[in-house]
């Protein structure tokens, strides 16, 4: 078995399925068993780092909140700046906002205008979240990076729910999409 297969198996067997959370009909993929096992958490972060190392990145961006859990230690591992993309009203400095539609209702996320520093135009950003579902959240996050002058070169996830076809939505905004494990 290859390493990439074994990390996928490790992740898939670690996830806890919680039916009807947060509402009826959704099977929530709980990632906390990955976090509660230091070896699995470490293997997951190492696999993510290996995937992203060849891409000549300048920044790691993470989407609040579970994108922070994986994105911040990944940034440390790769020795790159971490860019937090946050829910409304949390960031204290000058910022850009974007609203997008969810399955029911809408959501807003925000970024500091100076999050990429003074070389935003040459930034090569990786966008990190725990899970790719319909793709709307990550697509909006990539548009925020664009709004402050940068470019997302890869979006990376621990898990992808491929039956929701988020990849197609996200492909409108970012050319490389990577996930460590896939639920079909
Ligand atoms: P989406 O915009 O549909 O791709 O949703 C992505 C966000 O919602 C991610 O931050 C996920 O953490 C969360 N999410 C969506 N569906 C699920 C699910 N079935 N299990 C766990 N998290 C989910």
């Amino acid at each position: 078995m290859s390493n990439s297969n074994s990390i996928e198996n490790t992740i898939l067997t670690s996830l806890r399925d919680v039916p009807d959370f947060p509402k009826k009909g959704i099977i929530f993929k709980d990632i906390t068993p990955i976090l509660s096992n230091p070896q699995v958490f470490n293997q997951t972060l190492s696999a993510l780092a290996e995937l992203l190392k060849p891409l000549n990145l300048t920044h790691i961006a993470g989407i609040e909140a579970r994108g922070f859990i994986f994105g911040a230690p990944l940034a440390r591992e790769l020795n790159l700046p971490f860019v937090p993309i946050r829910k409304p009203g949390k960031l204290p400095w000058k910022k850009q906002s974007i609203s997008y539609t969810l399955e029911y209702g809408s959501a807003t996320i925000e970024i500091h205008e100076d999050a990429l520093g003074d070389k935003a135009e040459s930034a090569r950003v990786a966008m990190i979240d725990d899970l790719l579902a319909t793709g709307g959240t990550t697509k909006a996050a990539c548009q925020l990076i664009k709004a402050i002058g940068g470019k997302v070169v890869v979006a990376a996830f621990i898990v992808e729910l491929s039956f929701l076809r988020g990849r197609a939505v996200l492909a409108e905004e970012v050319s490389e999409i990577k996930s460590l494990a896939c639920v079909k």
Side-chain angles (χ1 to χ4, degrees):
M1 192 184 286
S2 77
N3 271 346
S4 60
N5 271 339
S6 68
I7 187 65
E8 177 163 37
N9 286 340
T10 302
I11 289 168
L12 292 177
T13 53
S14 298
L15 291 173
R16 174 166 53 195
D17 284 0
V18 184
D20 297 326
F21 182 88
K23 55 189 166 221
K24 209 163 171 44
I26 305 275
I27 299 175
F28 191 84
K29 299 285 176 185
D30 179 16
I31 51 102
T32 63
I34 294 176
L35 310 180
S36 61
N37 182 326
Q39 200 190 341
V40 171
F41 190 28
N42 195 36
Q43 281 171 2
T44 302
L45 288 166
S46 298
L48 203 51
E50 287 311 310
L51 268 185
L52 300 185
K53 256 181 204 160
L55 297 179
N56 227 347
L57 299 169
T58 60
H59 298 76
I60 304 292
I63 305 171
E64 189 175 1
R66 277 165 282 154
F68 290 4
I69 295 172
F70 296 98
L74 179 70
R76 185 176 187 276
E77 170 96 13
L78 297 177
N79 198 27
L80 292 172
F82 179 70
V83 176
I85 293 184
R86 299 212 62 182
K87 292 175 178 157
K90 304 283 186 187
L91 289 171
W93 190 240
K94 292 175 195 163
K95 58 204 170 191
Q96 293 275 333
S97 301
I98 189 167
S99 296
Y100 58 98
T101 48
L102 292 166
E103 201 178 347
Y104 301 102
S106 70
T108 301
I109 48 175
E110 299 184 333
I111 193 169
H112 274 158
E113 277 179 7
D114 63 356
L116 298 175
D118 52 11
K119 291 204 180 103
E121 70 286 349
S122 56
R124 292 175 55 82
V125 181
M127 185 61 64
I128 308 296
D129 204 357
D130 64 328
L131 181 140
L132 173 61
T134 65
T137 307
T138 308
K139 184 181 176 188
C142 293
Q143 289 169 331
L144 273 184
I145 294 288
K146 209 196 272 176
I148 63 165
K151 183 176 181 192
V152 175
V153 295
V154 61
F157 305 89
I158 309 308
V159 197
E160 170 179 2
L161 306 184
S162 64
F163 59 90
L164 292 176
R165 310 206 183 286
R167 217 169 240 269
V169 171
L170 201 46
E172 296 165 14
E173 210 55 52
V174 56
S175 56
E176 265 202 88
I177 301 165
K178 294 180 182 286
S179 57
L180 294 177
C182 184
V183 177
K184 295 194 174 96

